[in-house]
Amino acid sequence: VSNGVTTSIEGCAFALGNEGDGFLLGQPYYGSFPNDIGDRAGIKVVGVKFGDGDPFSVDAVAKYEESLLRAEKCGTKVRALILCSPHNPLGKCYSRETLIALMRLCQRHRIHFISDEIYALSVWHNPEYPDATAFTSVLAIDTSEIIAPELVHVLLGMSKDFGANGLRIGCVISQHNPALVAALK
């Protein structure tokens, strides 16, 4: 538990990377992510551009891998992939298939998968878009055949879903990484 998801993000940056390392982040992204991971922890945003592609599709995973390989070729060690699910600022949800594909990418490269789910309860059925992708929490996916469980972390908070911005409560759920939990404490 921390004093907000911003602090949880920063704590993960300190605990999972070293100054100069990178975290993959699909574009566009929440404007404070670079500050949250970079101002004090010194983690770089490794931006992922999708061109005309759908950033929420399984096909987008190839763009994440291209950005990872490009960053590492240029000397930036990528330590994690962080995403906001549901997405901020686009408001869309990632499909279960896309989340699994992203976790498989993280497993292949042995990087951490961080799902910021601060908007998890801020989705609802919209009859004007009946086929919109529903929210799936990473915590609802059996990851045993997908990714080493110590690489999966979920961030939750009170401010968005409960309209409680002044109530600074955030948490990191890392069920299989006691070293991360100890570092955050």
Side-chain angles (χ1 to χ4, degrees):
V1 175
S2 69
N3 64 339
V5 174
T6 295
T7 303
S8 296
I9 294 167
E10 183 183 60
C12 286
F14 272 114
L16 300 175
N18 296 309
E19 188 172 348
D21 289 343
F23 281 14
L24 289 170
L25 192 56
Q27 296 176 321
Y29 49 76
Y30 169 58
S32 289
F33 272 134
N35 304 93
D36 296 349
I37 67 174
D39 281 357
R40 295 189 327 145
I43 301 296
K44 299 176 189 175
V45 168
V46 176
V48 180
K49 296 179 181 178
F50 303 99
D52 292 334
D54 178 359
F56 300 93
S57 70
V58 172
D59 294 339
V61 176
K63 298 293 187 183
Y64 280 93
E65 190 160 33
E66 288 170 15
S67 294
L68 182 149
L69 295 173
R70 187 170 33 268
E72 294 201 340
K73 187 176 180 182
C74 293
T76 298
K77 177 67 180 156
V78 174
R79 299 290 184 175
L81 183 157
I82 186 167
L83 56 86
C84 195
S85 177
H87 191 272
N88 179 10
L90 299 179
K92 290 184 70 174
C93 296
Y94 292 88
S95 69
R96 179 182 188 87
E97 294 75 24
T98 300
L99 293 169
I100 289 170
L102 287 167
M103 285 189 275
R104 289 190 193 285
L105 170 70
C106 291
Q107 176 64 29
R108 232 181 358 265
H109 292 279
R110 294 295 298 169
I111 64 172
H112 294 269
F113 181 84
I114 304 167
S115 183
D116 175 354
E117 298 183 3
I118 194 167
Y119 292 101
L121 300 177
S122 297
V123 295
W124 63 92
H125 175 72
N126 183 341
E128 293 184 32
Y129 299 96
D131 297 327
T133 303
F135 171 71
T136 300
S137 174
V138 170
L139 297 172
I141 299 173
D142 177 3
T143 61
S144 60
E145 300 294 321
I146 300 167
I147 186 172
E150 67 271 10
L151 297 176
V152 178
H153 320 289
V154 174
L155 312 179
L156 296 169
M158 302 288 287
S159 64
K160 305 302 188 258
D161 284 338
F162 295 98
N165 287 340
L167 185 61
R168 305 303 303 155
I169 298 175
C171 65
V172 177
I173 300 171
S174 184
Q175 297 172 322
H176 302 282
N177 194 323
L180 172 62
V181 173
L184 292 171
K185 286 181 181 177

